[in-house]
Amino acid sequence: MGKGGEESADCEKALPKYSWEEIQKHNLRTDKWIVLERKVYNITEWVKRHPGGIRVISHFAGEDATDAFRAFHPDLNYVRKFLKPLLLGELAPEEPSQDRDKCAKLVEDFRALRKTAEDMKLFSADPVFFTLCLGHILLLEFLAWFTLSYFGIGWIPTIITAFILATSQAQAGWLQHDFGHLSVFKKSKWNHLFHKIVIGHLKGASGNWWNHRHFQHHAKPNIFKKDPDVNMLHTFVLGKTQPVEYGKKKLKYLPYNHQHEYFFLIGPPLLIPVYFHIQIVHTMISRRDWVDLIWSLSYYTRYFTTYIPFFGIWGALAFISFVRLIESHWFVWVTQMNHIPMEIEYEQYQDWLSMQLAATCNIEQSFFNNWFTGHLNFQIEHHLFPTMPRCNYWKIAPLVKSLCAKHGIVYEEKHLSTAVIDVIRSLKKSGELWLDAYLYK
């Protein structure tokens, strides 16, 4: 052990030096380097074992990933243990800490803001808050059963019950999001366990599927080929660049100049009941994720055991489909009003703050907005600090606004109704860009 320690010390003294020009060449599928805190790491083989998934870490190949690294990992000392065998060298002394001419002062100020948030203990959760979140979800589940038990299965009690269950599902969605981001417990293992319970047993979905998809969205929001949330499978064209590309190539999978209209038919109604369900089941089976499958089946076992006595098998299937339809509308509008109207582009290699602010906007704070969106009305703060408990977003928001004002970065905050309308306006504008390019370019 003593000899190994001496060799390690010698390696530390004689680390090879690399330029950004050399590092940026290693952004291939079979050759990936990243930079963390000026150290250069070869992650080519490690990505296959990365707990957050292959893609999320691969998206930073050839870049400085320091701020993303700090954003996603609450226990940095623990994670650094896995980095030691991957160490190649460090940036040459004459090289800047940031790649591609990123503003060093802006990056420095953002890191100082994060340090301030840590000193303010804003990454510490309030157990009472999250207990109440879980409690009101369980209360809604009970009220749904009680409504049918007491009032019967007439149309009015059935519809009321469907909306109660949809509310429970939406709120469980926000709570699993908290656990998935490791923002509730200090120890990751407890967050992982409760994430499985909430997303699996309370919602019937897969934790691993969510991690693989959602962390990519946070790592590179609104960036084509990196953020799965803007992969629309040719059903919509988004932003300013993609519509023109499709138009010039004469691609017309759908009449995109009408996408702001057919969005109401295939967007909110189908995302959760159809697309997500197919994707979740396919992911669990194809990856042999039997643990998540068991958790998911526990939800459906509980659901059908509860509601088949009221509606029968086919009635229970129809009822859960209606619940998912309501939930899907809720989910789509909350998640898309923060992103679709914002910048949607190919990789621009921006610093962490600039990238997140370009892709996200906030909805003004109120008790209802906080509850309705699961505090994702503070989308900017959530994207900058994904492991921060949501009940603390309002405390850091004024400091984020001040930092943005200092560096001339737009901090966009909207009324709820304006944000909803902006989704349609954005889709319409993108559709018009496509039509113009399709007809005249």
Side-chain angles (χ1 to χ4, degrees), residues 22-279:
E22 172 64 24
I23 293 166
Q24 288 164 13
K25 295 176 183 177
H26 299 272
N27 65 346
L28 309 175
R29 179 171 293 184
T30 57
D31 183 17
K32 300 181 176 75
W33 293 6
I34 62 170
V35 175
L36 299 172
E37 299 166 337
R38 293 191 64 86
K39 295 291 191 295
V40 182
Y41 298 91
N42 185 343
I43 60 168
T44 306
E45 295 300 323
W46 165 248
V47 296
K48 301 172 186 176
R49 293 177 289 141
H50 182 237
I54 293 176
R55 294 183 181 179
V56 65
I57 190 171
S58 298
H59 291 335
F60 289 96
E63 293 182 56
D64 174 54
T66 302
D67 289 311
F69 175 71
R70 293 173 177 172
F72 288 122
H73 302 106
D75 188 347
L76 296 178
N77 291 329
Y78 174 75
V79 179
R80 286 190 179 104
K81 296 177 183 178
F82 296 95
L83 292 173
K84 289 181 180 180
L86 312 178
L87 182 63
L88 283 178
E90 61 185 3
L91 286 171
E94 67 273 12
E95 291 288 339
S97 296
Q98 288 75 44
D99 58 293
R100 296 177 174 85
D101 298 320
K102 294 173 184 173
C103 178
K105 180 59 177 172
L106 190 156
V107 173
E108 179 185 337
D109 286 351
F110 172 72
R111 291 176 183 174
L113 174 61
R114 182 177 181 86
K115 181 63 168 59
T116 300
E118 292 169 353
D119 293 341
M120 293 171 65
K121 301 188 182 304
L122 297 186
F123 290 92
S124 298
D126 179 357
V128 174
F129 173 83
F130 287 107
T131 300
L132 290 174
C133 287
L134 178 59
H136 100 290
I137 291 167
L138 298 178
L139 177 61
L140 288 167
E141 294 272 349
F142 170 77
L143 286 176
W145 170 84
F146 178 79
T147 300
L148 293 178
S149 297
Y150 189 82
F151 295 103
I153 56 172
W155 280 105
I156 293 178
T158 298
I159 292 173
I160 291 174
T161 300
F163 275 90
I164 293 173
L165 272 183
T167 301
S168 171
Q169 286 295 290
Q171 293 299 320
W174 309 145
L175 184 58
Q176 70 81 21
H177 181 264
D178 298 317
F179 289 118
H181 276 296
L182 312 179
S183 64
V184 181
F185 295 103
K186 290 183 179 180
K187 292 188 176 181
S188 295
K189 67 178 182 180
W190 289 110
N191 284 302
H192 290 312
L193 174 60
F194 275 82
H195 187 222
K196 296 286 188 187
I197 293 172
V198 177
I199 197 172
H201 187 65
L202 292 185
K203 288 192 61 62
S206 164
N208 288 340
W209 165 82
W210 183 88
N211 289 341
H212 176 74
R213 181 184 179 94
H214 193 66
F215 290 162
Q216 289 185 75
H217 163 69
H218 269 270
K220 295 287 184 177
N222 281 15
I223 295 177
F224 292 122
K225 298 184 178 180
K226 294 188 175 182
D227 180 0
D229 286 4
V230 294
N231 177 14
M232 294 295 172
L233 302 176
H234 305 303
T235 55
F236 301 98
V237 288
L238 303 176
K240 297 177 181 179
T241 301
Q242 188 184 56
V244 176
E245 284 185 347
Y246 273 51
K248 287 181 176 179
K249 294 177 181 178
K250 309 307 175 187
L251 298 177
K252 187 182 180 181
Y253 296 95
L254 287 168
Y256 298 120
N257 52 312
H258 294 290
Q259 65 178 2
H260 61 291
E261 297 167 337
Y262 67 70
F263 172 78
F264 292 95
L265 300 176
I266 67 174
L270 300 184
L271 184 66
I272 290 180
V274 178
Y275 178 61
F276 274 7
H277 266 82
I278 292 173
Q279 195 177 66

